[in-house]
Amino acid sequence: MAARSENSLLDSPDPCENPFLLIPSVNHFTQLQSTLVGFFKGRPLRQGIGILFLVLGIWYGFSLPTPLFQTPYSKVLEDREGRLLSARISEDGQWRFPELDSLPSKYVQALVAFEDQRFFYHPGVDPLAMGRAVGQNLRSRKIVSGGSTISMQVIRLAQKNKPRTIFRKLLESVLATRLELQYSKKRILRLYASHAPFGGNVVGLDAASWRYFGKSPEFLSWAEAAFLAVLPNSPAHMHPGRNREPLLKKRNRLLRKLAQKGVLDATTLSLALSESLPEAPLPLPQLAPHLLDRAVKEGAPARLKTSIDLQLQFTAAETASRHQAILSQNGIHNLAALIVHVPSGEVLAYVGNAPNAGPEHGGAVDVIAAPRSSGSIFKPFLYALALQEGLILPHSLLPDIPMNINGYRPENFHRDFDGVVPASESLSRSLNVPFVHLLRDYGIGRFHYQLKKLGLSTILRPPDHYGLTLILGGAEANLWDLGGVYASMARSLSHFETYQSRYDPADVHPLTYRKDARGGGGKPMLQREAPIFDAGVLWHTFHAMQEVQRPESEGNWEIFHSSRKVAWKTGTSFGYRDAWSVGLTPEYLVAVWVGNADGEGRPGLVGTRVAAPLMFDLFALLPPSNWFAAPYDELQEIEICRESGWLAGPYCPKGSFSAPKRGIQALPCSMHALVHLDPSETFQVNANCELTGNMIHRSWFVLPPLEEYYYRRRHPAYKPLPPWRADCQEAATAKGSPMQLIYPLNAARIYVPIDLDGTSSRTVFRLAHRNPKAVIYWHIDREYLGSTQTFHNIELNPRPGKHLLTVVDNEGNRLEQRFEIAEKRKE
């Protein structure tokens, strides 16, 4: 090794550096003589020598351990181009990166020129260097040169710098030759560069390059490469505030030596000499700490090359930080985001939590993998499944009216109802009540099974545990699973090849953060099974998601909508604890969660207000993408009712529609009836009260009374059925009741709170009637209580217990409903 001028020759305890320790002592010869005499005693000389050489040969062949270095390594995460994303210190407290695959040419030339000039020519031991070192040291009376080769130093590093004796020095020389037989010269250089000490707790060239210069070794300048070549010779000098002049002189001597060899020209030498030494070690990049934690938990190798794009990861984290700074003013401290390349399933950015959340707000929690209440983020899955089964058509009208199922009363976000609403609009507006009706028709058990089949690993309880709340946040989901399901749906629509794998499909998730783990290199990822959804179903689903309507859909939303097509869905959990937003195009998927890691709810924590803006800002970082091509081969023209969206019935206004193939299995429209009117078209009539020749026949869009009550408020053009003519009242009764209770429903149990003054609160009973001029007479337990007209709401105060509500209109139509009053005592 190079000079250690501060040490005296006689004072050096290092037998590898002090030439006097290479001279065998009398005791060494005595021990060797005794051993040899004992071995050969009683054996022929030739036989003993043969056995001795055989034993030595076997020892020599197995003298190197496998692996050579048995040391813990830091966990290192790299992006798709091999750039450092994050690192974690090794178990022994050292920054020791895994062995490099290659070394930069500048460092190799500097290292060989400084440590071992004949490295590429000797067999592991350099007798000339050893002899020269002994002579120089004797003449100078101090250590000015060492005789160890790079191969010998690798052996010493592998043995963790055990005490240096003459025997250890000889053993290193022998093992160095064995090392040369087993490893190439390039590999030996990599072993040295990966395990040499570089000051403090920095071990290896890769860690040193990042700690001292904040860059990968391949980008080192000549001055930096020379500095790292001489540093293992004087690692103690790498400390801010200490006298590092000897280290600077060593570096500069090496640079001049390289210039003398013709490696550096005069200009390069001058620039290199002008560079100063680095100061305190730099912090290592921590651009994806949560992904690193995930990789470690999943047993990833010490150095993992990921699919992450470093620049996108950096800008995504910066964007997340800006949003978190604003959200934190409302007590919202955490968020997470995924950006995925849809064709390959590769994760391009993984922001596991808000970069500035801090430990006091659970900043170390990887929210991407954390189960959270799903809100309404499952609605596109149910919509697509219902289309897939032919249960509905994209624009089929679904009920949107108050409902009470065993005490469960779902409401829309804005606590209002539309009467009936197209299924596609229910999805785009994220209406709750129509989807509860749809789930009840589809079946909770079937939907539960399909969610698990799609890959949602958080659906752990039986269907009965969730009930109808499964569609409105009663279950949990995590961002990783959701991103995987939506990306798989987008891939299916894009018609990527499918195949049956020899592996269990459950072993591989649709997303991957490991580069080339599957598909790799931006290539389309192969599906493991036939897709659950037909392409026609997915095309209609994404079309509905692309036409998202929200109360906030003005201003900036309109501007974004016109600049880029994105299918997106938001979700908000009960209590405003979780806000979701997932958006996709044929090329990219962005999934966002916003909330608090501890589950605290906050006002305004709504998907459209806090998660969607971040999602759109992340989309703005991505290249433009085309929209999905219509899968005409998986669509078919069918005849539908233009008003109800169901298959055309005999009395419907008909229209042609490109529907999924199984749409032909949907029900025909039941909302149109043939109505017989009198000549004035003012009243309904029938053959019992009007001549057939005088009747006018009209196709009429007819809704049940409750649906009609809410539908008319939003659709002024809706025409209710004309009343029956007075002489046709019997026919009216036969056609069914024109009125329907809004509240209470289905033998409801009504909890009546006690007011502060100790009296019971009053209960509001509500009813809908087709005829706006009808008079309703209200009775409880056969006792008349009053009448209403136009607006059929009445406040009553029945005593606790079971009751019978009876309502009768002025035409004699009658409804009865049983209910129970249960007082809720004040605390």
Side-chain angles (χ1 to χ4, degrees), residues 555-568:
N556 292 334
W557 301 106
E558 294 295 332
I559 294 173
F560 187 91
H561 182 275
S562 65
S563 64
R564 183 186 304 229
K565 282 189 175 182
V566 176
W568 59 291

Side-chain angles (χ1 to χ4, degrees), residues 74-78 82 84 97-101 206 300-305:
S74 301
K75 302 298 183 181
V76 177
L77 206 65
E78 297 178 341
L84 182 64
F97 286 11
E99 182 182 334
L100 290 164
D101 294 330
D206 201 2
R303 185 189 298 273
L304 178 64
K305 189 174 185 179

